[in-house]
Amino acid sequence: MQKTDGMNYAPQGSFQTVCQPGEFVFAAAALDHGHIYGMCNGLREAGGELKWVYDPDPAKVDKFLSTYPGVRAASSLEEILGDAEVKLVAAAAIPSDRGPLGLRVMDSGKDYFTDKAPFTTLEQLEAAKAKVAETGQKYAVYYSERLHVESAIYAGQLIEQGAIGRVHQVIGLGPHRISLSSRPDWFFEKEKFGGILCDIGSHQIEQFLYFTGAKDAKVVHSKVANYNYPQYPNFEDFGDATLVGDNGATGYFRVDWMTPDGLSTWGDGRMTILGSEGYIELRKYVDIAREQTSNHVYLVNKDGEQHFAVSGQVGYPYFGQLILDCLNRTEVAMTQEHAFKAAELCLIAQRDAMIITSAE
């Protein structure tokens, strides 16, 4: 697994299949972000059969085929959409293209699984809502910083078990390494990546809703800045926001592209979850200056102080649940309402953000 660059974060777990061979056939398309590998890993480990790949860039396809031997290269997206065996299309397109691609996939009678952020405008979100209602297909979203992080999954299990009582606040820190030389041109064009709160902020908002159990929230305040990259005037390397859930829970998060080169991984992602009877701290990717291992969970409650190192212990249940949801038309992995609400709130936070001008 790539540790230095979050763009290529693609965890691998054990194979715990939920379906019979050939029962859940899926395809990959639009290989613009490295998260497509994590998405495909998760589905394959849960029993999905990866049949096709398509991208207009032959180099991206060749790299993909070297990772997944035996997959067929489609001559066009239409070849995938016309294959009746394919039940789902996984895609990591340029963010501004993700919504329109999802409409095409759902129109073909297939479910859609996109990298986050799923949209760059509220108009795209409304179009997707309408298409889901029209077709009955799923618009699933890869919010990887919870779904593909064992410490975050374990925190959810602790909360469900009542380990810290009712959750009142979530504080999330989502720093990322920019890895400037490896970024494509679209990464710096706001109309294509949507802005920092729309992009990596979507992870944080999804986790706030999930851990607090809120169905909706108000963005009380948000702000963005470009502190370090004047050569890219439309880029944002800092953002934060404060939210209040419909159940009274509060949240604050900060995201940035400022991870220093001396850190052993791509970002020191952390989260503190405060409950009525204790709190949980997650050190997702590293425990700096102590352990370069990932997935550290710290729990403090009436029973005392506990530390859990959960890498390789929890697994990634989302992917198997998603496969079964697609096969059975259920909503166990994540409700459509939740996926769309997280998207809506990150778009609102981005739209209403105060723009900070850095003083020289």
Side-chain angles (χ1 to χ4, degrees), residues 49-282:
E49 179 185 322
L50 177 54
K51 182 177 180 179
W52 294 103
V53 61
Y54 172 72
D55 191 276
D57 183 345
K60 289 189 177 78
V61 173
D62 288 345
K63 178 185 175 184
F64 190 90
L65 293 175
S66 70
T67 303
Y68 304 110
V71 174
R72 305 182 204 176
S75 60
S76 65
L77 178 64
E78 285 69 28
E79 187 171 9
I80 291 173
L81 299 183
D83 185 345
E85 278 193 336
V86 174
K87 290 183 166 56
L88 175 144
V89 176
I94 294 170
S96 58
D97 295 337
R98 291 171 185 170
L101 176 57
L103 302 185
R104 292 181 64 188
V105 171
M106 290 187 290
D107 270 335
S108 74
K110 305 182 191 310
D111 293 321
Y112 180 56
F113 183 32
T114 180
D115 189 18
K116 65 77 218 162
F119 312 102
T120 53
T121 69
L122 288 165
E123 290 75 18
Q124 289 180 348
L125 169 61
E126 291 306 314
K129 286 182 178 179
K131 189 62 68 176
V132 167
E134 173 192 337
T135 64
Q137 301 301 140
K138 295 183 182 296
Y139 195 113
V141 184
Y142 181 58
Y143 292 113
S144 59
E145 290 187 24
R146 180 176 68 84
L147 304 176
H148 231 158
V149 175
E150 287 181 287
S151 57
I153 296 166
Y154 190 64
Q157 294 172 356
L158 289 174
I159 291 167
E160 187 176 352
Q161 294 162 13
I164 60 170
R166 179 180 176 183
V167 174
H168 293 312
Q169 188 192 42
V170 175
I171 298 176
L173 304 178
H176 287 61
R177 176 174 286 130
I178 196 164
S179 301
L180 205 61
S181 62
S182 68
R183 298 292 175 177
D185 291 342
W186 61 259
F187 179 78
F188 303 99
E189 300 175 30
K190 190 171 181 180
E191 67 274 13
K192 292 186 177 180
F193 76 89
I196 193 169
L197 298 179
C198 172
D199 181 20
I200 53 179
S202 63
H203 289 298
Q204 301 295 327
I205 290 178
E206 190 278 329
Q207 289 173 97
F208 165 74
L209 293 174
Y210 177 78
F211 288 128
T212 63
K215 300 297 184 185
D216 198 356
K218 179 179 181 181
V219 180
V220 178
H221 183 72
S222 58
K223 51 188 181 288
V224 296
N226 182 351
Y227 286 123
N228 295 322
Y229 300 97
Q231 69 272 39
Y232 301 112
N234 294 318
F235 185 64
E236 298 163 351
D237 61 6
F238 174 92
D240 70 3
T242 303
L243 300 95
V244 177
D246 57 0
N247 58 359
T250 69
Y252 169 82
F253 70 86
R254 186 203 80 215
V255 288
D256 64 74
W257 292 102
M258 298 183 186
T259 293
D261 289 342
L263 188 71
S264 59
T265 187
W266 56 268
D268 185 10
R270 298 196 183 202
M271 181 160 283
T272 300
I273 306 167
L274 175 66
S276 58
E277 300 173 20
Y279 64 90
I280 294 169
E281 182 187 344
L282 307 181

